[in-house]
Amino acid sequence: MEKIYTAQEVAQQLKIKKTTVYELIKRGELQATKVGKQLRISQAQLDCYLGSSGQPTQKPSIKENRSPNRTAADSAILQMDYLQNDSGLIISGQTGQMIELLRSCMEESGEGYPMLHSYMNSYNSLYSLYFQKTHLALVCLPYQKNGARDDRLISGMLPGMSVCLLTLCDLSLGIYIKKGNPKDISGLPDFCRSDVSTVNRERGCECRMLLDDFLKENHYSPTQIDGYRKEMLSHLSVATAVSSNQADAGIGDLSQLNTCHDLEGIPLTRASLMLVCSSALLQHPAFPAIQSAVCSESFRSALKHFGGYDTSNTGELITL
């Protein structure tokens, strides 16, 4: 029987990424056969591609992002020309595990696309989306007291744009404290106590905005908070700071408590983690694949495995 390969096996033979194999198939340069929901490449199809390329020992002439700097916004800007001329996308956001899960579910269904993750918080992600330096912004939108999502950040950052919001999951934002609550902290007013030390998030993060809104509404000064200017760049770093006694409290995603067993949480508000994009992106060939991956059972199951995520609204598409 003729040898049959998966996309991963072809990628290993050609020494390229699996997403590049999918790209070659979509461009018609490499023929493949669909078996159920999976793509398979026969030896004859592979030989045909290698023969037509004329250079079987070389990699296909598709530019690849070999070693992107995922922590710098400039990385996304430098790669924009490549991604605009191919089928790839730039996704900006701070929740790397969510983007990797999305990428994994897309590849599992045979719908892999080149993706560049630019590490930015919600505010900077929307800023980059407005100036067309990114295709999708992963943002965290808190719910208001009336139960509606607070989309003021989006309307303020993307004036005049028609945008779509694809819900990934809901989560809970709250205060990390040591187990047993030795400082008897019950809410944000305790951050202003002289015997309570805290850590903060950087400007543009939803947790920082949550704290700043509280201070403004209650006429508190940031100078009243010990640690207000001690900034961390992730939920995990805030949780670690509290866990290691660098601070008594900090605000973050309470799903982190699943890995920080010496901490407990005080819920403050629910929030929705969403992919935001221009409505025009719905015409991009990758968007149906993204939407399908988000709505898939494997995506929902993985979120439930992480713990702390609510998938009731997962897959909901909203147009603003």
Side-chain angles (χ1 to χ4, degrees):
M1 177 182 286
E2 185 180 32
K3 288 185 179 179
I4 304 294
Y5 303 105
T6 64
Q8 181 61 47
E9 289 169 338
V10 171
Q12 290 171 349
Q13 287 195 49
L14 300 181
K15 296 183 173 56
I16 58 176
K17 295 179 182 177
K18 184 164 69 170
T19 52
T20 304
V21 175
Y22 288 132
E23 178 64 15
L24 289 169
I25 294 170
K26 288 177 175 62
R27 288 170 52 168
E29 297 179 27
L30 173 62
Q31 297 300 310
T33 304
K34 202 159 191 179
V35 180
K37 293 186 178 180
Q38 303 296 321
L39 289 174
R40 294 293 181 265
I41 300 98
S42 69
Q43 184 66 57
Q45 289 168 330
L46 182 57
D47 290 341
C48 181
Y49 166 71
L50 293 174
S52 63
S53 70
Q55 296 178 327
T57 60
Q58 296 183 6
K59 297 181 183 181
S61 58
I62 292 180
K63 291 180 267 182
E64 294 190 60
N65 177 30
R66 304 189 194 292
S67 55
N69 180 354
R70 293 176 182 267
T71 61
D74 286 346
S75 172
I77 299 171
L78 291 172
Q79 294 292 333
M80 180 56 82
D81 287 342
Y82 153 58
L83 291 172
Q84 282 183 333
N85 293 318
D86 278 272
S87 59
L89 297 171
I90 298 173
I91 301 181
S92 58
Q94 286 185 315
T95 313
Q97 70 176 14
M98 199 67 64
I99 294 175
E100 289 305 315
L101 173 59
L102 177 61
R103 191 200 311 265
S104 174
C105 289
M106 290 174 67
E107 292 184 354
E108 183 180 299
S109 66
E111 295 291 341
Y113 284 84
M115 284 190 190
L116 174 67
H117 176 201
S118 182
Y119 191 87
M120 288 186 272
N121 59 39
S122 295
Y123 184 95
N124 289 331
S125 292
L126 290 173
Y127 181 88
S128 293
L129 182 64
Y130 184 72
F131 284 98
Q132 300 181 346
K133 295 176 181 178
T134 188
H135 295 96
L136 296 115
L138 182 61
V139 301
C140 187
L141 298 179
Y143 281 87
Q144 301 180 64
K145 292 180 180 179
N146 62 6
R149 290 190 186 93
D150 189 351
D151 61 4
R152 290 174 298 172
L153 180 63
I154 291 179
S155 58
M157 292 293 296
L158 306 174
M161 281 185 65
S162 174
V163 297
C164 289
L165 288 69
L166 181 61
T167 304
L168 300 185
C169 63
D170 288 347
L171 50 85
S172 180
L173 296 177
I175 302 172
Y176 301 137
I177 55 174
K178 294 286 286 187
K179 266 196 174 171
N181 196 5
K183 287 296 182 79
D184 194 27
I185 295 169
S186 60
L188 290 178
D190 292 309
F191 278 38
C192 298
R193 285 167 36 192
S194 60
D195 64 326
V196 172
S197 62
T198 70
V199 287
N200 204 353
R201 287 297 302 274
E202 79 284 5
R203 288 181 180 274
C205 173
E206 62 281 347
C207 296
R208 173 67 168 263
M209 290 185 271
L210 186 65
L211 178 59
D212 287 345
D213 282 345
F214 164 77
L215 294 176
K216 183 178 179 181
E217 289 170 5
N218 294 277
H219 308 290
Y220 286 111
S221 168
T223 59
Q224 293 178 254
I225 298 180
D226 177 10
Y228 179 84
R229 300 195 182 283
K230 191 175 182 180
E231 298 179 349
M232 301 289 167
L233 297 178
S234 70
H235 297 303
L236 180 59
S237 59
V238 173
T240 300
V242 178
S243 179
S244 60
N245 298 314
Q246 297 176 50
D248 297 316
I251 303 173
D253 174 6
L254 294 186
S255 68
Q256 291 293 333
L257 297 177
N258 293 311
T259 56
C260 299
H261 303 297
D262 60 336
L263 300 182
E264 56 186 78
I266 301 172
L268 294 174
T269 184
R270 286 176 62 239
S272 191
L273 196 61
M274 316 188 83
L275 282 174
V276 182
C277 66
S278 166
S279 297
L281 193 73
L282 270 62
Q283 306 305 315
H284 192 288
F287 190 84
I290 292 173
Q291 189 175 17
S292 177
V294 171
C295 294
S296 69
E297 185 56 37
S298 58
F299 187 83
R300 290 173 181 269
S301 297
L303 289 178
K304 291 176 182 177
H305 176 74
F306 288 148
Y309 294 124
D310 179 359
T311 60
S312 301
N313 298 316
T314 296
E316 181 183 43
L317 185 64
I318 304 168
T319 301
L320 296 181

